[in-house]
Amino acid sequence: MSALASEKDEFDPNTVTPGVWGFVVTFVIMVVVLLLILDMVRRIRRTNYRAQVRAELEAEAAAEAAAADEAAFGGADGQATDASGELPGEGDGPERG
């Protein structure tokens, strides 16, 4: 029992601290983590901007292709016609007046 009592007396909580080196190492780790987070945010932002620009370019290309198709087909209004240019069912039967 006396051995345990003598060990407790030798323990000084002021000498068992991380000290200056512990603070320096913790601070360096904190700075490295902060820099990694900033780099990650920058890379994510850049990726989002690239995706946004790619979507805008694809939309412009689709609009140009639609305009080219409209010009090539003479501005068709989307109605189906046969070879004579009549709408289906227009000249098929007797006219009603």
Side-chain angles (χ1 to χ4, degrees):
M1 201 89 199
S2 65
L4 290 175
S6 64
E7 287 180 20
K8 286 185 178 182
D9 293 337
E10 293 176 9
F11 177 73
D12 184 14
N14 294 326
T15 60
V16 187
T17 61
V20 175
W21 285 108
F23 174 76
V24 169
V25 169
T26 304
F27 184 77
V28 168
I29 290 174
M30 183 181 66
V31 168
V32 168
V33 168
L34 180 66
L35 291 174
L36 284 172
I37 290 172
L38 291 175
D39 183 56
M40 179 187 66
V41 167
R42 182 181 55 115
R43 289 175 186 262
I44 290 173
R45 187 176 297 137
R46 185 185 310 157
T47 302
N48 288 339
Y49 286 150
R50 286 181 181 171
Q52 181 181 5
V53 167
R54 186 177 304 123
E56 289 175 2
L57 289 175
E58 289 174 357
E60 288 177 10
E64 289 176 4
D69 287 346
E70 185 176 327
F73 292 115
D77 57 0
Q79 292 183 346
T81 58
D82 60 5
S84 67
E86 295 178 352
L87 292 173
E90 252 183 21
D92 292 341
E95 289 188 28
R96 295 183 186 171

